[in-house]
Amino acid sequence: MRMEDIFEIKNEEERVSAIYNIFDESTRLSTKATRVEFLTTIRQIEKYLKPGMKILDLGAGTGEYSLYFAKNGFQVTAVELVENHVSQIKEKINEEMSLEVFQGNAMNISIIEDKTYDIVLCFGPLYHLEKIEDRMKCIEEVKRVCKDNGKMFFAFISNDMVITTETMCYNPSFLTEDTYNHHTFKVRDFPFVFHTVDDCRQILRDSDLTINNEVATDGLSELLADKINNMNDESYNKWLNYHYYCCEKPEFLGTSNHLLFITSK
Ligand SMILES: C[S@@+](CC[C@H](N)C(=O)[O-])C[C@H]1O[C@@H](n2cnc3c(N)ncnc32)[C@H](O)[C@@H]1O
């Protein structure tokens, strides 16, 4: 199936599954360039993580974050919409890990009791829930299952950076086509959903969350992927260090493909 045909699919689970039949989630974070997002996000989560904490990973994909934390001794629950992703996570679990996996929709995780988790990760559902009411429902569920003193981490895809990466990396005609509104710069995104930095702040504040930190998780990594992938380990580690220095500066936020918001009640 082609991307252009996917918006026609009304059923959400089928639509999201069709997207990930095109994009292979299991290898997404496997290059030096794409690893920047994972390493930066882990580093942010670990600032708040203490031994014995319970983690919920909503929209867990093929389990990159869930497996990392389960291997490091944390009790993790993964919830994921796409059945094939759920199976891939289950295949990688070993008996030393405390990792339970459910197939489900982040808008309704009633199988989970209120105030169960210290850390809730929501890296994925807000890339695909088209209606604002559905995104708010998902955020409400995150709030409900998070302990009162817990931290909630939300990832978004940056509308404004997509224009740069699409044009420079994938489609030189992007700027001249009907791919975005040429006055507001809102990208025609569906079946993905992109947010400006202000959109992210607005939806989190409308959900009565306090924003504790805002992070440009991958910065220029997608744009500079070839160069980053060709770095030797020494240069790559220096690049990462420089990225960590930049990624919490407000002036770098919009120019990152992925945005991370760390919140509390
Ligand atoms: C780009 S992947 C990210 C996976 C992983 N969280 C990460 O950050 O590497 C987005 C994931 O969110 C899942 N997803 C999308 N909408 C969802 C929903 N409403 N409920 C649960 N999972 C959802 C997709 O199936 C996909 O596996």
Side-chain angles (χ1 to χ4, degrees):
M1 183 176 285
R2 297 169 317 148
M3 249 339 240
E4 302 84 272
D5 303 322
I6 289 179
F7 349 33
E8 308 291 337
I9 307 174
K10 296 285 172 260
N11 177 285
E12 197 190 344
E13 188 183 328
E14 283 173 23
R15 189 173 59 246
V16 175
S17 298
I19 297 171
Y20 289 96
N21 280 337
I22 297 178
F23 297 103
D24 179 7
E25 186 55 28
S26 68
T27 54
R28 191 178 70 85
L29 297 170
S30 62
T31 69
K32 276 186 167 133
T34 55
R35 208 82 193 137
V36 173
E37 174 192 332
F38 176 76
L39 295 171
T40 306
T41 304
I42 291 287
R43 191 168 168 269
Q44 290 293 328
I45 297 167
E46 286 178 342
K47 288 185 185 179
Y48 300 93
L49 208 49
K50 296 195 181 74
M53 281 188 166
K54 289 177 76 175
I55 302 172
L56 173 65
D57 186 7
L58 260 189
T62 51
E64 201 75 17
Y65 291 93
S66 291
L67 291 157
Y68 172 86
F69 288 115
K71 273 181 202 151
N72 282 289
F74 291 93
Q75 223 181 306
V76 182
T77 305
V79 175
E80 166 57 45
L81 187 62
V82 173
E83 190 62 59
N84 173 257
H85 288 176
V86 170
S87 313
Q88 290 190 55
I89 303 177
K90 286 184 177 164
E91 278 164 19
K92 294 178 216 156
I93 299 176
N94 66 39
E95 68 258 7
E96 273 141 51
M97 296 180 197
S98 171
L99 171 52
E100 50 178 4
V101 190
F102 301 108
Q103 198 261 339
N105 193 318
M107 281 192 298
N108 177 2
I109 43 169
S110 51
I111 42 164
I112 296 174
E113 283 181 23
D114 296 0
K115 302 184 187 184
T116 306
Y117 295 94
D118 303 280
I119 300 277
V120 183
L121 313 178
C122 182
F123 305 155
L126 301 177
Y127 306 163
H128 296 291
L129 290 168
E130 185 191 18
K131 293 192 203 126
I132 184 88
E133 312 86 83
D134 290 346
R135 278 176 265 154
M136 299 278 284
K137 259 193 227 165
C138 164
I139 296 171
E140 275 313 310
E141 282 293 75
V142 169
K143 273 175 72 181
R144 182 181 67 75
V145 300
C146 187
K147 292 182 183 171
D148 285 340
N149 58 353
K151 291 285 175 196
M152 291 152 277
F153 294 71
F154 296 95
F156 299 88
I157 300 174
S158 166
N159 182 84
D160 299 350
M161 188 58 176
V162 165
I163 297 178
T164 308
T165 41
E166 280 298 322
T167 306
M168 300 299 169
C169 303
Y170 309 112
N171 175 12
S173 308
F174 190 86
L175 288 177
T176 52
E177 289 174 356
D178 188 20
T179 45
Y180 67 102
N181 179 315
H182 292 232
H183 300 288
T184 64
F185 296 94
K186 176 71 193 141
V187 176
R188 284 185 48 201
D189 48 6
F190 197 65
F192 282 86
V193 176
F194 304 145
H195 294 76
T196 64
V197 172
D198 283 338
D199 294 335
C200 306
R201 291 179 181 143
Q202 187 71 45
I203 192 171
L204 295 171
R205 287 186 184 137
D206 288 348
S207 304
D208 286 327
L209 287 170
T210 302
I211 298 172
N212 307 126
N213 203 3
E214 304 175 340
V215 185
T217 24
D218 48 359
L220 302 176
S221 302
E222 192 167 345
L223 191 66
L224 302 179
D226 291 344
K227 293 199 165 60
I228 295 173
N229 287 334
N230 281 321
M231 284 176 173
N232 64 28
D233 288 350
E234 188 187 359
S235 298
Y236 181 65
N237 287 331
K238 294 288 179 199
W239 173 258
L240 274 180
N241 213 26
Y242 167 62
H243 168 74
Y244 294 153
Y245 159 78
C246 295
C247 71
E248 292 179 56
K249 288 177 181 267
E251 62 270 29
F252 282 85
L253 261 187
T255 54
S256 176
N257 277 92
H258 290 85
L259 305 167
L260 175 67
F261 282 72
I262 302 165
T263 67
S264 51
K265 293 190 193 179

